[in-house]
Amino acid sequence: MHYTIYVGCYGAAGEETLLRLALDPAMPSLTVTAADGSIANPSYLALDGAFLYAVSELPAGQGGVASFAVSDDALRFLGRQTAGDGPCHIYFDPVLERAFVSNYGDGSVSVFSRGPGHALLGEPFVFRHTGGNPAHPRQLGPHAHCVAPTGDGRRIASVDLGADVVVISNAFAQGQGTMVREISRLTMPRGCGPRHIVFGRGGQAYVLTELSNELYFCDYHAGSGSLWAKSAVSTLPAGWTGESQAAALVLSPEETWLFASNRGQDSIAVFRLEAGGEPRLRGHVNCGGAWPRDLALSPDGRYLLCANEHSRTVTAFSFDAATGALTPLCALETSAAPACVRFA
């Protein structure tokens, strides 16, 4: 069985910044089957069937989001729209047919609707985060870093690293326009720097903090839309004293395991989810490179991929859901710096 993977890389337009890979576990091997250089810095990707959407992480006035049609032999560029300052994450909602682009530089989220040809349209609806922590140099203002659906799919959660908040909102389609209305927010400890969030189907949520390197276990109440933190655990090994920044967060399909990447300590933290969904750290696995920026699990939960930005490698692991063991499988060197991996 072969798996198809898309990789977004930091690099200039014209370089091979967007890759499609084939993973063959039997060989084992990772091979490039298509490449594209239409945009610079496609640092985060979202897939919807035969269409792929990628942010172009550039400063204000240059940053954007691009649309591609994917087929067996090519990636076909459909168009590009301007987003905010430093777009760093994209979530595509297939029900609303909207792409939510988080702009790190200005703390805003740009919401793009989709046209008849599946390309994203211009003139997005924009909502902005506020706040910051003047005591921390990376938190002088808001820095939107992630939008994710709640576990029931009814709402969205937007995470802000600069303001130390997670905002829960309702989102509505209004013709080609969009309306987003905040209904609650979780204020997190100052200086923790929340980066990513994932929701379980049973009312649990997990927030990964980049600056404090912690995993927060939260409860989400679907009726009120309230989110509150119950506990926190470090993503780093006991006694670690070096520089590290937590990055990616992935939940297994059966929701019994959770993985977080540590950039600097260069490991993948493996958490077992106990009764009620509470995470227990089971160990760390070397990422097989340097600066593991992103992780992705295959839909069947059998394989995990890691994008190692600084070593310019994508590493593949087999995963045993019974024991939690990650076993190195194969690796691929890339010409540009991989930042995001997505299984088709």
Side-chain angles (χ1 to χ4, degrees):
M1 181 177 181
H2 290 71
Y3 297 81
T4 300
I5 300 108
Y6 292 91
V7 181
C9 304
Y10 282 111
E15 298 180 21
E16 291 187 343
T17 55
L18 186 58
L19 305 173
R20 184 173 61 207
L21 309 182
L23 169 64
D24 182 354
M27 288 290 291
S29 65
L30 275 169
T31 55
V32 178
T33 60
D36 184 271
S38 300
I39 61 171
N41 298 343
S43 61
Y44 216 83
L45 312 175
L47 279 161
D48 181 54
F51 299 92
L52 183 146
Y53 303 102
V55 300
S56 181
E57 190 174 334
L58 293 168
Q62 303 174 54
V65 57
S67 309
F68 296 83
V70 298
S71 61
D72 290 341
D73 57 356
L75 297 165
R76 182 166 58 89
F77 178 69
L78 298 177
R80 182 184 183 279
Q81 302 294 344
T82 301
D85 181 4
C88 65
H89 183 278
I90 181 169
Y91 159 65
F92 185 83
D93 188 308
V95 176
L96 291 175
E97 292 202 346
R98 299 294 190 272
F100 294 79
V101 175
S102 301
N103 302 301
Y104 179 90
D106 60 16
S108 69
V109 177
S110 304
V111 188
F112 293 86
S113 57
R114 184 162 70 171
H118 291 85
L120 300 180
L121 304 176
E123 300 183 4
F125 173 84
V126 178
F127 66 97
R128 299 182 183 278
H129 295 164
T130 59
N133 173 16
H136 196 288
R138 288 191 58 198
Q139 294 185 304
L140 300 182
H143 295 303
H145 216 304
C146 167
V147 169
T150 56
D152 55 8
R154 294 171 52 195
R155 301 183 176 97
I156 60 166
S158 51
V159 177
D160 196 289
L161 184 147
D164 290 321
V165 297
V166 179
V167 180
I168 306 295
S169 302
N170 287 324
F172 309 92
Q174 296 183 333
Q176 291 292 356
T178 311
M179 178 61 68
V180 176
R181 293 176 181 168
E182 177 181 336
I183 58 171
S184 71
R185 64 172 51 200
L186 168 64
T187 300
M188 301 190 66
R190 285 168 61 86
C192 69
R195 177 182 173 95
H196 280 183
I197 186 170
V198 297
F199 286 80
R201 293 183 291 270
Q204 308 85 7
Y206 306 91
V207 180
L208 185 67
T209 61
E210 178 173 334
L211 302 182
S212 65
N213 299 286
E214 292 174 295
L215 177 67
Y216 280 78
F217 174 44
C218 305
D219 271 344
Y220 170 70
H221 188 272
S224 65
S226 299
L227 182 71
W228 62 95
K230 298 176 65 176
S231 62
V233 60
S234 176
T235 65
L236 296 170
W240 171 262
T241 58
E243 284 290 323
S244 198
Q245 299 174 16
L249 186 63
V250 175
L251 181 64
S252 67
E254 76 286 357
E255 300 189 0
T256 55
W257 298 93
L258 195 66
F259 307 91
S261 69
N262 294 308
R263 297 175 296 179
Q265 199 266 331
D266 291 344
S267 72
I268 302 167
V270 182
F271 295 88
R272 174 78 182 187
L273 302 186
E274 307 293 349
E278 186 166 1
R280 301 292 184 193
L281 182 63
R282 294 291 294 270
H284 295 81
V285 175
N286 188 287
C287 69
W291 210 251
R293 190 179 185 92
D294 197 30
L295 302 171
L297 264 175
S298 59
D300 58 12
R302 297 177 61 189
Y303 302 98
L304 182 139
L305 263 66
C306 180
N308 298 303
E309 181 185 346
H310 289 181
S311 58
R312 300 196 173 198
T313 54
V314 177
T315 49
F317 300 81
S318 61
F319 175 61
D320 186 335
T323 65
L326 283 172
T327 304
L329 195 64
C330 57
L332 174 74
E333 293 186 7
T334 57
S335 57
C340 180
V341 283
R342 285 289 170 271
F343 277 88

